[in-house]
Amino acid sequence: TGGWGADYAGSFVYQAPHTFAYQWTRNGAAIGGATTAAFTAQSPGSYACTVTAANQAGSSTQASGAVKVKASKVKLSTKRKAKADAGDLVTFKVKAVNLGDLKAKNAKVCVKLPKASKADLKAPKCKKLGLKGRAKKTVTIKVEVKPGADEGTDKLTFQVKGTAGKAAKSKIVVG
């Protein structure tokens, strides 16, 4: 509500506001319908609120400082290497961290295999994340080593889809 002068009834000074009106802005432009004391940002930008206080003598306006809201950006990490035999199921714990302020609504983790690894590995279905702003989550992803897999090292990449993000790379050593 801002900071306003109080009434001093003993001195017959009545200056405290009786009503408040709010207007939120994004990047300096008014947001239509954003006229309540609280506002939840849905997109990145610089947000501020202007409050107008009124009493019997008139009105006065104060503006808040701007708050920058960052878009969702998910960073992934996991172990760099795993050992397996042909026919095994390799389990990876993939840690996802949302570095932004907004919810990563449609974010999911997918496994991408290079052409050379597709003969030995089978990528699982993508896993949904649903990360709120600044949240962390760990998902379990199981990659199948095909029964006829050749011995050697196969590369794989854990990617973020549905929002901006940073991938994590790993290897499976078949032996």
Side-chain angles (χ1 to χ4, degrees):
T1 56
W4 310 95
D7 287 338
Y8 298 105
S11 300
F12 299 102
V13 175
Y14 297 97
Q15 61 186 5
H18 294 267
T19 62
F20 298 98
Y22 305 91
Q23 179 60 63
W24 286 88
T25 61
R26 178 175 168 262
N27 300 331
I31 302 168
T35 57
T36 58
F39 179 77
T40 302
Q42 299 296 321
S43 56
S46 182
Y47 290 85
C49 182
T50 301
V51 60
T52 301
N55 62 17
Q56 67 281 359
S59 64
S60 183
T61 301
Q62 293 181 4
S64 71
V67 174
K68 186 169 181 152
V69 175
K70 295 180 183 177
S72 66
K73 182 177 181 182
V74 177
K75 180 181 176 185
L76 301 177
S77 61
T78 190
K79 60 185 171 185
R80 295 196 183 271
K81 191 191 300 188
K83 292 183 179 182
D85 293 320
D88 283 354
L89 205 56
V90 181
T91 302
F92 288 91
K93 298 277 187 194
V94 180
K95 183 179 176 183
V97 179
N98 186 351
L99 303 174
D101 299 310
L102 298 175
K103 183 177 180 180
K105 295 176 188 170
N106 300 317
K108 52 188 173 182
V109 178
C110 300
V111 176
K112 182 179 180 186
L113 300 173
K115 208 174 211 181
S117 296
K118 288 183 179 179
D120 294 336
L121 305 177
K122 182 179 178 190
K125 290 184 178 181
C126 298
K127 293 251 183 157
K128 289 185 180 182
L129 288 172
L131 282 173
K132 292 183 179 181
R134 304 287 175 191
K136 299 175 185 178
K137 186 175 187 178
T138 300
V139 294
T140 302
I141 296 181
K142 296 183 180 189
V143 178
E144 180 185 339
V145 180
K146 293 180 180 176
D150 295 331
E151 286 189 5
T153 301
D154 289 297
K155 296 179 181 180
L156 60 150
T157 303
F158 296 93
Q159 294 182 316
V160 178
K161 296 222 176 167
T163 193
K166 184 171 182 193
K169 295 183 182 242
S170 191
K171 298 175 185 176
I172 296 177
V173 179
V174 180

